[in-house]
Amino acid sequence: QVQLVESGGGLVQAGGSLNLSCAASGRTLSTVGIGWFRQAPGKEREWVSTITWSAWGVGKYYADSVKGRFTISGDNGRTTVYLQMSSLTPHDTAAYYCAATTLFYKIADYYKTSRTYSVWGQGTQVTVSS
């Protein structure tokens, strides 16, 4: 089992950037993927991005809404995953959560659903002002 702690959230103006971190501890090498999700008030949790590690290499996946603006990265020890966010808009305002999974899928779509992930962090708030 791993434990996850997010950090790096805050208040930023539209067009600005923020870098989120997800620190993992425990049995990190059993982690196959770490994903970022976000949830705005009154809305459902939304998948943002996932990074995976497997015999096929490192996989990185993005929701269409953040593609080209967000970049996910992580170390091979799976101890820290970063989400670099740029060109932020008020629509990006949400609580951001990282989550870990030990499940490997060749089809990336499975990483877009929260059911794939068994461990979640407490979240970090991102607020983008207009």
Side-chain angles (χ1 to χ4, degrees), residues 33-108:
I34 290 183
W36 285 96
F37 289 76
R38 64 187 182 185
Q39 188 166 19
K43 294 189 176 181
E44 292 188 354
R45 186 168 293 184
E46 174 190 19
W47 173 74
V48 175
S49 180
T50 294
I51 183 170
T52 62
W53 298 271
S54 72
W56 285 269
V58 176
K60 299 180 181 180
Y61 311 101
Y62 300 94
D64 288 342
S65 59
V66 306
K67 201 171 293 183
R69 300 188 300 122
F70 290 12
T71 301
I72 193 169
S73 62
D75 63 294
N76 286 336
R78 301 131 207 223
T79 60
T80 309
V81 170
Y82 303 97
L83 186 68
Q84 297 173 284
M85 308 185 297
S86 61
S87 301
L88 288 164
T89 77
H91 294 294
D92 295 313
T93 295
Y96 283 71
Y97 300 88
C98 64
T101 180
T102 59
L103 302 176
F104 174 72
Y105 297 108
K106 286 189 176 181
I107 301 174

Side-chain angles (χ1 to χ4, degrees), residues 18-31:
L18 275 177
N19 295 324
L20 304 184
S21 298
C22 175
S25 59
R27 301 180 63 181
T28 59
L29 292 181
S30 66
T31 298

